[in-house]
Amino acid sequence: MAIQTESAKNTLARNNLAQTAKNLVRVRCLGTEVFPSEIFDGHAWNMMLRLLVAHANEDCLSEGELIAATGTPPGVGQRWLAHLVADEQIEPYAAGSSIALTPAALDRVEVFLRGASAIHQTDGPS
């Protein structure tokens, strides 16, 4: 049985971290293949991910709940929600009603997440 030196362990750890960084870049590129690039603004993307989780849990989020859950400033959140509606990523909604991804956006988020999952399976051990 081979004994790894501290230097070898550090090199392995750095290589694993480098692979993870490389995979994150690939995931970001995958995202812009599936969605318009502006969706990957932190606020918009966080909103879409929260909506996917809510959908998976058969839960509903109002505008205020979604904005609060993503830590988005209210004015910024409202502008992003308007953009996401105009871009047909989320369904149009009335004040106080729940917000949901469109069926097409739901499909695209799932395609993205399956691709991202496959990419991250090449990450080294944590």
Side-chain angles (χ1 to χ4, degrees):
M1 177 162 114
I3 298 175
Q4 282 190 327
T5 66
E6 200 60 38
S7 177
K9 288 179 187 176
N10 288 340
T11 298
L12 180 61
R14 276 193 307 276
N15 289 342
N16 289 341
L17 292 175
Q19 184 62 50
T20 298
K22 181 179 174 183
N23 288 346
L24 286 171
V25 170
R26 288 177 57 204
V27 166
R28 291 181 85 152
C29 291
L30 172 65
T32 58
E33 290 173 18
V34 178
F35 291 99
S37 63
E38 67 270 7
I39 298 298
F40 281 89
D41 168 87
H43 299 301
W45 186 235
N46 287 340
M47 288 178 174
M48 291 184 65
L49 291 175
R50 291 283 183 163
L51 289 171
L52 176 78
V53 170
H55 175 81
N57 292 331
E58 298 181 0
D59 199 5
C60 297
L61 292 172
S62 69
E63 178 182 286
E65 291 168 331
L66 180 59
I67 289 171
T70 58
T72 306
V76 172
Q78 290 167 342
R79 286 190 297 277
W80 271 114
L81 288 171
H83 178 81
L84 292 171
V85 168
D87 199 40
E88 299 179 347
Q89 303 299 325
I90 61 174
E91 299 285 355
Y93 63 95
S97 66
S98 62
I99 299 174
L101 293 170
T102 63
L106 184 60
D107 288 344
R108 286 191 300 271
V109 172
E110 289 174 354
V111 164
F112 169 80
L113 291 173
R114 279 192 296 278
S117 178
I119 289 169
H120 281 298
Q121 288 183 22
T122 66
D123 286 350
S126 48

